[in-house]
Amino acid sequence: MAECIFCGILDGSIPSRKVYEDEETLAFLDVFPAVSGHTLVIPKKHSADIHSIDERSFVAVAKSAKKVADILTAKLGCDGISIFQMNREAGWQTVSHLHMHVIPRFNGDNLQKPWKVASATEESLETSHRRILS
Ligand code: ZN
């Protein structure tokens, strides 16, 4: 059995419920869903995160996420879609095989934004901007 749980899903040693598949990606239902229909999209070539994945594979994952978003909207009649892509422990990544969460959203589904909306100060924006561009 593969050490990586998602590679295990790819080689068939771990069962999954496939939603979409193409040459470079697989999408399947998350077994720990935020809401019913929560789907994960992964590249078939193992990459730990956004820093190690090659650009072509990341684009393939993004294209599949769009297809899955359209499929979920058409089939489940959801009111919206939220997409998350988390990296490393500090970024809430729990499986070290890059994945995109495609979450069907329904009016009144009670999911909460992970951050509070608050205006930045001009000074903090300027400081961040300077650091990023330096
Ligand atoms: Zn893997």
Side-chain angles (χ1 to χ4, degrees):
M1 184 183 284
E3 268 185 47
C4 168
I5 188 169
F6 289 170
C7 284
I9 286 174
L10 287 166
D11 73 18
S13 59
I14 297 172
S16 69
R17 288 184 170 80
K18 183 169 72 177
V19 171
Y20 175 79
E21 182 173 20
D22 61 23
E23 264 184 42
E24 296 179 85
T25 68
L26 176 70
F28 53 91
L29 290 181
D30 193 329
V31 294
F32 299 105
V35 296
S36 180
H38 180 163
T39 299
L40 300 178
V41 181
I42 64 172
K44 288 187 173 174
K45 188 165 84 179
H46 178 94
S47 296
D49 59 29
I50 195 163
H51 306 291
S52 58
I53 193 170
D54 63 88
E55 203 172 281
R56 178 194 163 103
S57 294
F58 190 71
V59 168
V61 169
K63 283 182 174 175
S64 293
K66 190 257 187 288
K67 286 182 178 150
V68 168
D70 290 343
I71 291 167
L72 297 179
T73 299
K75 302 291 186 170
L76 302 180
C78 51
D79 302 308
I81 293 282
S82 293
I83 292 177
F84 289 92
Q85 199 284 303
M86 302 158 182
N87 298 281
R88 299 181 177 172
E89 191 177 347
W92 302 333
Q93 184 178 16
T94 54
V95 175
S96 293
H97 181 133
L98 183 133
H99 51 289
M100 226 174 249
H101 297 257
V102 183
I103 303 171
R105 301 299 308 279
F106 298 89
N107 293 325
D109 64 20
N110 290 322
L111 292 187
Q112 303 292 314
K113 280 186 183 173
W115 61 88
K116 288 189 174 138
V117 177
S119 291
T121 63
E122 277 303 313
E123 185 186 349
S124 72
L125 286 173
E126 189 55 36
T127 301
S128 297
H129 196 217
R130 254 189 269 115
R131 285 186 68 193
I132 291 165
L133 298 183
S134 66

mmCIF file of all heavy atoms in Angstrom, residues 2-8 10 42-47 95-98, ligand 1:
data_model
loop_
_atom_site.group_PDB
_atom_site.id
_atom_site.type_symbol
_atom_site.label_atom_id
_atom_site.label_comp_id
_atom_site.label_asym_id
_atom_site.label_seq_id
_atom_site.Cartn_x
_atom_site.Cartn_y
_atom_site.Cartn_z
ATOM 1 N N ALA A 2 0.472 2.253 -0.749
ATOM 2 C CA ALA A 2 1.237 3.497 -0.827
ATOM 3 C C ALA A 2 1.256 4.192 0.541
ATOM 4 O O ALA A 2 0.304 4.085 1.307
ATOM 5 C CB ALA A 2 0.615 4.416 -1.871
ATOM 6 N N GLU A 3 2.356 4.893 0.844
ATOM 7 C CA GLU A 3 2.435 5.636 2.103
ATOM 8 C C GLU A 3 1.485 6.825 2.115
ATOM 9 O O GLU A 3 0.943 7.183 3.146
ATOM 10 C CB GLU A 3 3.855 6.150 2.321
ATOM 11 C CG GLU A 3 4.709 5.197 3.120
ATOM 12 C CD GLU A 3 6.071 5.771 3.421
ATOM 13 O OE1 GLU A 3 6.149 6.928 3.858
ATOM 14 O OE2 GLU A 3 7.051 5.040 3.176
ATOM 15 N N CYS A 4 1.291 7.428 0.953
ATOM 16 C CA CYS A 4 0.412 8.586 0.837
ATOM 17 C C CYS A 4 -1.024 8.089 0.608
ATOM 18 O O CYS A 4 -1.277 7.310 -0.304
ATOM 19 C CB CYS A 4 0.883 9.451 -0.329
ATOM 20 S SG CYS A 4 -0.292 10.729 -0.818
ATOM 21 N N ILE A 5 -1.945 8.545 1.436
ATOM 22 C CA ILE A 5 -3.338 8.066 1.336
ATOM 23 C C ILE A 5 -3.945 8.398 -0.032
ATOM 24 O O ILE A 5 -4.686 7.583 -0.601
ATOM 25 C CB ILE A 5 -4.195 8.624 2.501
ATOM 26 C CG1 ILE A 5 -5.569 7.971 2.518
ATOM 27 C CG2 ILE A 5 -4.316 10.120 2.449
ATOM 28 C CD1 ILE A 5 -6.357 8.272 3.781
ATOM 29 N N PHE A 6 -3.616 9.544 -0.601
ATOM 30 C CA PHE A 6 -4.189 9.891 -1.908
ATOM 31 C C PHE A 6 -3.540 9.072 -3.027
ATOM 32 O O PHE A 6 -4.218 8.708 -3.993
ATOM 33 C CB PHE A 6 -4.075 11.384 -2.182
ATOM 34 C CG PHE A 6 -4.997 12.228 -1.325
ATOM 35 C CD1 PHE A 6 -4.868 13.612 -1.310
ATOM 36 C CD2 PHE A 6 -5.993 11.661 -0.549
ATOM 37 C CE1 PHE A 6 -5.710 14.401 -0.535
ATOM 38 C CE2 PHE A 6 -6.835 12.430 0.238
ATOM 39 C CZ PHE A 6 -6.686 13.812 0.245
ATOM 40 N N CYS A 7 -2.250 8.751 -2.888
ATOM 41 C CA CYS A 7 -1.639 7.837 -3.862
ATOM 42 C C CYS A 7 -2.287 6.456 -3.735
ATOM 43 O O CYS A 7 -2.446 5.749 -4.731
ATOM 44 C CB CYS A 7 -0.124 7.768 -3.670
ATOM 45 S SG CYS A 7 0.737 9.240 -4.302
ATOM 46 N N GLY A 8 -2.697 6.093 -2.518
ATOM 47 C CA GLY A 8 -3.421 4.838 -2.300
ATOM 48 C C GLY A 8 -4.770 4.844 -3.014
ATOM 49 O O GLY A 8 -5.206 3.834 -3.556
ATOM 50 N N LEU A 10 -5.320 6.605 -5.697
ATOM 51 C CA LEU A 10 -4.978 6.549 -7.133
ATOM 52 C C LEU A 10 -4.648 5.131 -7.581
ATOM 53 O O LEU A 10 -5.021 4.727 -8.686
ATOM 54 C CB LEU A 10 -3.803 7.488 -7.436
ATOM 55 C CG LEU A 10 -4.138 8.975 -7.419
ATOM 56 C CD1 LEU A 10 -2.864 9.812 -7.375
ATOM 57 C CD2 LEU A 10 -4.984 9.354 -8.628
ATOM 58 N N ILE A 42 -7.295 15.978 -7.052
ATOM 59 C CA ILE A 42 -5.851 15.762 -6.844
ATOM 60 C C ILE A 42 -5.152 15.510 -8.183
ATOM 61 O O ILE A 42 -5.760 14.995 -9.124
ATOM 62 C CB ILE A 42 -5.584 14.565 -5.889
ATOM 63 C CG1 ILE A 42 -6.084 13.239 -6.475
ATOM 64 C CG2 ILE A 42 -6.189 14.827 -4.520
ATOM 65 C CD1 ILE A 42 -5.674 12.005 -5.687
ATOM 66 N N PRO A 43 -3.857 15.861 -8.249
ATOM 67 C CA PRO A 43 -3.071 15.479 -9.430
ATOM 68 C C PRO A 43 -2.706 14.001 -9.322
ATOM 69 O O PRO A 43 -2.513 13.492 -8.217
ATOM 70 C CB PRO A 43 -1.826 16.362 -9.319
ATOM 71 C CG PRO A 43 -1.659 16.587 -7.842
ATOM 72 C CD PRO A 43 -3.066 16.615 -7.275
ATOM 73 N N LYS A 44 -2.613 13.311 -10.461
ATOM 74 C CA LYS A 44 -2.235 11.895 -10.428
ATOM 75 C C LYS A 44 -0.753 11.720 -10.104
ATOM 76 O O LYS A 44 -0.351 10.699 -9.585
ATOM 77 C CB LYS A 44 -2.601 11.219 -11.748
ATOM 78 C CG LYS A 44 -4.107 11.041 -11.887
ATOM 79 C CD LYS A 44 -4.483 10.234 -13.101
ATOM 80 C CE LYS A 44 -5.982 9.950 -13.102
ATOM 81 N NZ LYS A 44 -6.418 9.281 -14.337
ATOM 82 N N LYS A 45 0.029 12.738 -10.425
ATOM 83 C CA LYS A 45 1.452 12.707 -10.084
ATOM 84 C C LYS A 45 1.603 13.311 -8.690
ATOM 85 O O LYS A 45 1.233 14.455 -8.462
ATOM 86 C CB LYS A 45 2.220 13.530 -11.129
ATOM 87 C CG LYS A 45 3.721 13.424 -11.022
ATOM 88 C CD LYS A 45 4.396 13.959 -12.275
ATOM 89 C CE LYS A 45 4.570 15.457 -12.218
ATOM 90 N NZ LYS A 45 5.247 16.011 -13.398
ATOM 91 N N HIS A 46 2.155 12.521 -7.755
ATOM 92 C CA HIS A 46 2.276 13.007 -6.379
ATOM 93 C C HIS A 46 3.103 14.283 -6.300
ATOM 94 O O HIS A 46 4.218 14.342 -6.804
ATOM 95 C CB HIS A 46 2.918 11.944 -5.471
ATOM 96 C CG HIS A 46 3.093 12.415 -4.063
ATOM 97 N ND1 HIS A 46 2.162 12.166 -3.081
ATOM 98 C CD2 HIS A 46 4.053 13.167 -3.494
ATOM 99 C CE1 HIS A 46 2.557 12.738 -1.956
ATOM 100 N NE2 HIS A 46 3.709 13.351 -2.178
ATOM 101 N N SER A 47 2.561 15.286 -5.657
ATOM 102 C CA SER A 47 3.281 16.504 -5.296
ATOM 103 C C SER A 47 2.770 16.891 -3.924
ATOM 104 O O SER A 47 1.559 16.843 -3.677
ATOM 105 C CB SER A 47 2.989 17.649 -6.266
ATOM 106 O OG SER A 47 3.461 17.349 -7.554
ATOM 107 N N VAL A 95 -3.204 16.337 4.453
ATOM 108 C CA VAL A 95 -2.663 15.241 3.642
ATOM 109 C C VAL A 95 -1.637 15.869 2.702
ATOM 110 O O VAL A 95 -1.959 16.797 1.962
ATOM 111 C CB VAL A 95 -3.766 14.524 2.829
ATOM 112 C CG1 VAL A 95 -3.151 13.469 1.910
ATOM 113 C CG2 VAL A 95 -4.794 13.896 3.756
ATOM 114 N N SER A 96 -0.408 15.360 2.748
ATOM 115 C CA SER A 96 0.682 15.968 1.978
ATOM 116 C C SER A 96 0.716 15.483 0.531
ATOM 117 O O SER A 96 1.726 14.957 0.048
ATOM 118 C CB SER A 96 2.027 15.693 2.658
ATOM 119 O OG SER A 96 2.073 16.385 3.882
ATOM 120 N N HIS A 97 -0.401 15.588 -0.125
ATOM 121 C CA HIS A 97 -0.535 15.366 -1.563
ATOM 122 C C HIS A 97 -1.467 16.487 -1.994
ATOM 123 O O HIS A 97 -2.617 16.533 -1.543
ATOM 124 C CB HIS A 97 -1.131 13.975 -1.832
ATOM 125 C CG HIS A 97 -1.296 13.613 -3.286
ATOM 126 N ND1 HIS A 97 -0.897 12.391 -3.794
ATOM 127 C CD2 HIS A 97 -1.838 14.292 -4.326
ATOM 128 C CE1 HIS A 97 -1.176 12.348 -5.095
ATOM 129 N NE2 HIS A 97 -1.771 13.482 -5.433
ATOM 130 N N LEU A 98 -0.965 17.399 -2.803
ATOM 131 C CA LEU A 98 -1.737 18.596 -3.135
ATOM 132 C C LEU A 98 -3.184 18.249 -3.483
ATOM 133 O O LEU A 98 -3.430 17.281 -4.215
ATOM 134 C CB LEU A 98 -1.101 19.344 -4.306
ATOM 135 C CG LEU A 98 -1.819 20.648 -4.674
ATOM 136 C CD1 LEU A 98 -0.838 21.776 -4.842
ATOM 137 C CD2 LEU A 98 -2.710 20.472 -5.884
HETATM 138 ZN ZN ZN B 1 0.436 11.050 -2.958
#
